[in-house]
Each structure stands twice: as structure tokens, then as C-alpha cells.
Amino acid sequence: MKSPVVKRSIVIAGHKTSVSLEDAFWKGLKEIAGGRDVTLSDLVAAIDSERQHGNLSSAIRLFVLDFYRNQLSDDKDGHDDAHEIVATRAVPTA
């Protein structure tokens, strides 16, 4: 499944800018903002203010990737229903 890169405009710190992101990263970013109860603009502004190098689109991709990696890491430390579901599906039934 191909996710094309789409350029979107967003206002951060009172300035309009554009970011080019694949749909999966855009959806992930919106999920994270909603889960944190912050606006998309505020989340992107925070990502922008903390980036060390690279462009904003790359910084957003890395932020989303790190967020979901940390969720997986947290699941490994605790109870992980997703792994149990995968394991039961992988076991053939007689």
C-alpha cells in the first residue's frame, strides 16, 4: 500500500509553514495531539522548537516514530494483549 507524500499548511508560532508528510505520519501526529489534548499546531510548534537538525517534516516523522516505538517498549514492560493475539493466530488449530 502506497502512502503518497502530501504537502499541508500549518500555522506554528503565528507563522504559516508547510510540511510534506505521508498520510500515515499525518494520522499518527493527529492521534498523538488528540491523546495529549493539544492542538496540532501546538504539537508541531513543540517539535519544531526541539529539533536539532534537518527539516520540520523529517523532525515530525522522527517524533511520530519515537512515540510509537516508546509505546511498544512500554507494552513489553507490561501486559501486551497485541502480542497474545498474534501468538494465538500463529498457532495452528487442529
Side-chain angles (χ1 to χ4, degrees):
M1 179 185 230
K2 194 173 184 180
S3 180
V5 176
V6 178
K7 191 176 222 177
R8 295 175 171 91
S9 295
I10 189 165
V11 177
I12 54 172
H15 296 91
K16 190 174 180 181
T17 190
S18 61
V19 293
S20 298
L21 293 173
E22 295 80 2
D23 283 337
F25 285 104
W26 188 251
K27 288 176 186 176
L29 187 64
K30 291 194 317 189
E31 286 176 4
I32 296 166
R36 293 183 176 184
D37 201 27
V38 297
T39 66
L40 197 60
S41 293
D42 287 343
L43 181 58
V44 172
I47 294 168
D48 187 41
S49 70
E50 293 180 14
R51 71 181 159 124
Q52 306 273 324
H53 46 63
N55 63 38
L56 181 56
S57 297
S58 294
I60 291 170
R61 285 186 191 94
L62 292 172
F63 173 83
V64 172
L65 178 62
D66 285 344
F67 176 85
Y68 287 107
R69 276 185 172 168
N70 287 335
Q71 274 194 344
L72 286 175
S73 177
D74 291 345
D75 287 345
K76 286 181 183 178
D77 294 338
H79 187 66
D80 185 3
D81 293 333
H83 280 90
E84 288 180 13
I85 292 169
V86 171
T88 56
R89 287 184 183 160
V91 176
T93 55

